[in-house]
Amino acid sequence: MPEKIKLNTEFITLGQFLKLAEVIQTGGMAKWFLSENDIFINGEQDQRRGRKLRAGDNVSIPGFGEFVITE
């Protein structure tokens, strides 16, 4: 069962999402984390920390879990 992450805004960047989902401790770790781990958004691999995530997007991080963005 994917973990639900609730947004208070229209979108969130992938870097901000990683911190909100408690995958990383600080925003500064996002660039390193994305270079070392595979991230799949809606089934497609994406490593851009500025990628905008919106409600309905599915994020899968092997070894860390699956997440669904909700409003």
Side-chain angles (χ1 to χ4, degrees):
M1 186 77 169
E3 182 178 339
K4 294 181 181 180
I5 303 294
K6 186 173 172 69
L7 288 186
N8 297 326
T9 58
E10 179 185 350
F11 66 88
I12 188 172
T13 66
L14 181 55
Q16 293 169 329
F17 165 81
L18 292 172
K19 187 169 183 244
L20 182 65
E22 298 179 355
V23 174
I24 58 175
Q25 284 75 41
T26 66
M29 293 177 67
K31 185 175 182 178
W32 169 82
F33 185 85
L34 291 170
S35 71
E36 297 291 321
N37 295 277
D38 291 331
I39 309 241
F40 297 91
I41 301 170
N42 299 327
E44 296 180 12
Q45 187 172 3
D46 199 337
Q47 305 304 110
R48 298 173 294 157
R49 70 176 181 215
R51 164 78 185 255
K52 293 178 181 175
L53 303 175
R54 292 178 163 70
D57 284 342
N58 295 302
V59 181
S60 177
I61 308 170
F64 292 89
E66 294 193 22
F67 306 89
V68 174
I69 310 294
T70 62
E71 288 188 81

